[in-house]
Amino acid sequence: MILHRFQRNRGTVQRPARLALLALMLAGSFTAQASVVITGTRVVYPANQKEVTVRFENKNPKPALVQVWLDSGNEDATPEEARVPFLATPPIFRMEPGRQQVLRLSYTGEPLPTNQESLFWLNMLEVPPKVQASEQENQLQLAFRTRIKVFFRPQDLPLEPSQAAGKLRWALVHDAQGRALEVTNPTPYHLSFDSVELLTAGQRHAKQSGQAAAENMVNPHASNRFVLPGLTAAPAADAQVEFQTIDDYGARHLHKVRLAP
């Protein structure tokens, strides 16, 4: 079941429902902040593990009710609709103030590719406690949803994850929205980007902002494009691509490569 109606979230950003934001304009100011946080920005599930654990912490002075589920990429899928080869235990739990909760993810064994990673998404929906009668004036209840990546990683892949960024190939292409950087990933890993910029003639041209977490990455053995809104002329011959990747632990790594001719 769904505990509360929610506004879907992009990546790990936590935001309240659109209706509540509209009510904010009408009812006065208040502070909205999710109280339950997930330890880490992504989950890596080694295929040889029976289960992996994810930790949650309630940083609010009030209790919270939490529901978790996984999906395979459709962020509109409800827990009843999502079909994934994992079990999340417990799927619903109450968190007391300042306490932690361990979630266990277990792979149920349905066939998945053995030559590359598979990507799933872990959803956390946090519902705050009911507002007491004495606190109801100018109070809004908000449900927060957080969504992070889960990488199912087979054993014996041909290179280490840390080597994958160095294998990427970058080229400048024409897109329907203008000039764009196209990245091709020949590796078995998903690569997530924190930033992508083209350096040419002493100027920086950053990729289009506002993209969802699923768009700020390149899948295994696939390509992706990043539109450069500020680039109006052909780049210089010595143009370079500067990009930051995010590793298994959420750390950023800076890379700089020559743009392919």
Side-chain angles (χ1 to χ4, degrees):
M1 70 174 176
I2 289 288
L3 295 175
H4 201 281
R5 299 180 69 82
F6 56 82
Q7 170 70 18
R8 72 172 180 265
N9 230 354
R10 294 185 180 271
T12 59
V13 177
Q14 300 167 327
R15 63 180 69 164
R18 187 187 304 273
L19 181 60
L21 293 179
L22 178 60
L24 168 61
M25 300 167 59
L26 303 175
S29 63
F30 72 103
T31 300
Q33 182 176 342
S35 61
V36 178
V37 297
I38 304 175
T39 300
T41 61
R42 61 210 59 234
V43 177
V44 176
Y45 195 123
N48 62 341
Q49 296 291 320
K50 182 178 179 180
E51 66 177 26
V52 297
T53 59
V54 184
R55 290 188 177 275
F56 299 80
E57 183 177 0
N58 184 5
K59 293 182 175 292
N60 199 282
K62 295 183 179 181
L65 189 61
V66 175
Q67 182 175 25
V68 294
W69 70 98
L70 288 94
D71 67 71
S72 58
N74 178 10
E75 58 186 319
D76 294 319
T78 66
E80 293 84 3
E81 297 168 342
R83 297 289 182 267
V84 295
F86 297 94
L87 293 176
T89 308
I92 300 174
F93 49 88
R94 173 188 167 99
M95 293 194 69
E96 298 301 327
R99 300 298 297 272
Q100 293 189 353
Q101 171 70 42
V102 173
L103 177 77
R104 287 178 167 79
L105 301 181
S106 56
Y107 173 48
T108 55
E110 287 85 341
L112 290 173
T114 58
N115 63 341
Q116 65 179 50
E117 287 182 332
S118 297
L119 173 62
F120 300 90
W121 295 80
L122 174 64
N123 299 267
M124 179 194 75
L125 180 65
E126 173 198 344
V127 181
K130 184 177 180 180
V131 177
Q132 300 298 318
S134 59
E135 302 175 335
Q136 285 184 355
E137 185 177 359
N138 293 332
Q139 292 285 327
L140 292 175
Q141 274 195 295
L142 305 175
F144 291 86
R145 180 188 177 192
T146 301
R147 194 166 181 260
I148 67 172
K149 298 168 185 174
V150 177
F151 299 111
F152 183 81
R153 183 170 295 168
Q155 293 180 269
D156 302 322
L157 293 178
L159 71 158
E160 294 298 318
S162 60
Q163 300 174 301
K167 304 291 184 181
L168 297 178
R169 299 191 295 268
W170 297 85
L172 190 68
V173 299
H174 287 279
D175 187 85
Q177 302 179 59
R179 287 181 168 88
L181 281 172
E182 183 174 78
V183 58
T184 300
N185 178 15
T187 80
Y189 298 99
H190 293 80
L191 281 99
S192 300
F193 301 102
D194 186 56
S195 63
V196 175
E197 294 182 308
L198 177 67
L199 281 57
T200 178
Q203 295 184 323
R204 291 177 174 267
H205 300 275
K207 70 176 180 64
Q208 190 173 25
S209 61
Q211 292 178 302
E215 299 168 337
N216 280 327
M217 63 184 303
V218 60
N219 295 335
H221 308 295
S223 298
N224 194 8
R225 289 185 177 183
F226 301 103
V227 176
L228 304 174
L231 184 63
T232 57
D238 60 349
Q240 294 180 307
V241 179
E242 186 175 285
F243 61 99
Q244 281 189 321
T245 55
I246 306 174
D247 67 17
D248 291 349
Y249 307 98
R252 273 67 174 167
H253 299 273
L254 183 64
H255 311 269
K256 188 180 291 188
V257 297
R258 291 286 297 271
L259 182 67

